[in-house]
Amino acid sequence: MTGRDAGIRDTAAVVRVRAEGEVGEEALAYTRSKIDAVMSRPGLPAVTGEVRIAKAAAHHAGHPWSAVADLRVGRTVVVVHAQEATSQEVTDRLQDRLRRQLERAAHGGDAARPVSPPWRGRQQAGGPAGRGAGQQDTRSE
């Protein structure tokens, strides 16, 4: 499949929007506007990457429209996929998923929080950590 470039924006976010297959200019403009809306969020680190929207050649496919965003947000890689029946639906779903992922990437997400290992006193889900946190040593010496 060949793709065509829909343009690059020269802002803090440099994201290329590409169309693959039989994607009309209206669908491409709608996708571009939705992606620009997500990227204009204040406080977002530098974003680079590419968004691709495609229509399957098979007419019998249940969800012929697909979209993929492959972005780098600061030092975090964000990949978002969506498949729907129409170009507007796939763009809206991609925008929602992308907004959530960018929010997570901008705030560090759960993976960025430092977690101490259990042997350093990390609290367990059910109560105090290990021995020494309210337990006495009953061994005789």
Side-chain angles (χ1 to χ4, degrees), residues 77-140:
V77 175
V78 175
V79 179
V80 180
H81 300 267
Q83 288 185 332
E84 288 297 331
T86 67
S87 63
Q88 285 188 339
E89 289 174 353
V90 77
T91 299
D92 291 342
R93 182 163 314 260
L94 184 75
Q95 181 190 25
D96 291 342
R97 290 178 178 175
L98 190 57
R99 181 178 290 125
R100 280 194 306 266
Q101 292 295 326
L102 289 178
E103 190 71 28
R104 188 175 294 160
H107 293 307
D110 293 337
R113 293 186 189 140
V115 176
S116 61
W119 59 86
R120 294 214 176 149
R122 176 179 72 191
Q123 292 291 324
Q124 300 295 327
R131 301 174 71 205
Q135 294 181 358
Q136 292 180 347
D137 190 2
T138 57
R139 292 182 286 169
S140 60

Side-chain angles (χ1 to χ4, degrees), residues 16-97:
R16 181 180 304 245
V17 179
R18 292 183 44 193
E20 295 177 356
E22 296 182 26
V23 178
E25 290 301 321
E26 290 178 12
L28 202 53
Y30 184 75
T31 302
R32 190 180 309 122
S33 68
K34 291 292 190 168
I35 297 303
D36 285 346
V38 173
M39 297 299 153
S40 64
R41 176 194 174 283
L44 195 63
V47 179
T48 59
E50 180 177 79
V51 174
R52 293 180 307 274
I53 183 169
K55 183 176 181 185
H59 297 289
H60 62 278
H63 297 289
W65 288 90
S66 64
V68 177
D70 187 5
L71 306 175
R72 188 165 192 77
V73 183
R75 294 178 14 185
T76 306
V77 175
V78 175
V79 179
V80 180
H81 300 267
Q83 288 185 332
E84 288 297 331
T86 67
S87 63
Q88 285 188 339
E89 289 174 353
V90 77
T91 299
D92 291 342
R93 182 163 314 260
L94 184 75
Q95 181 190 25
D96 291 342
R97 290 178 178 175

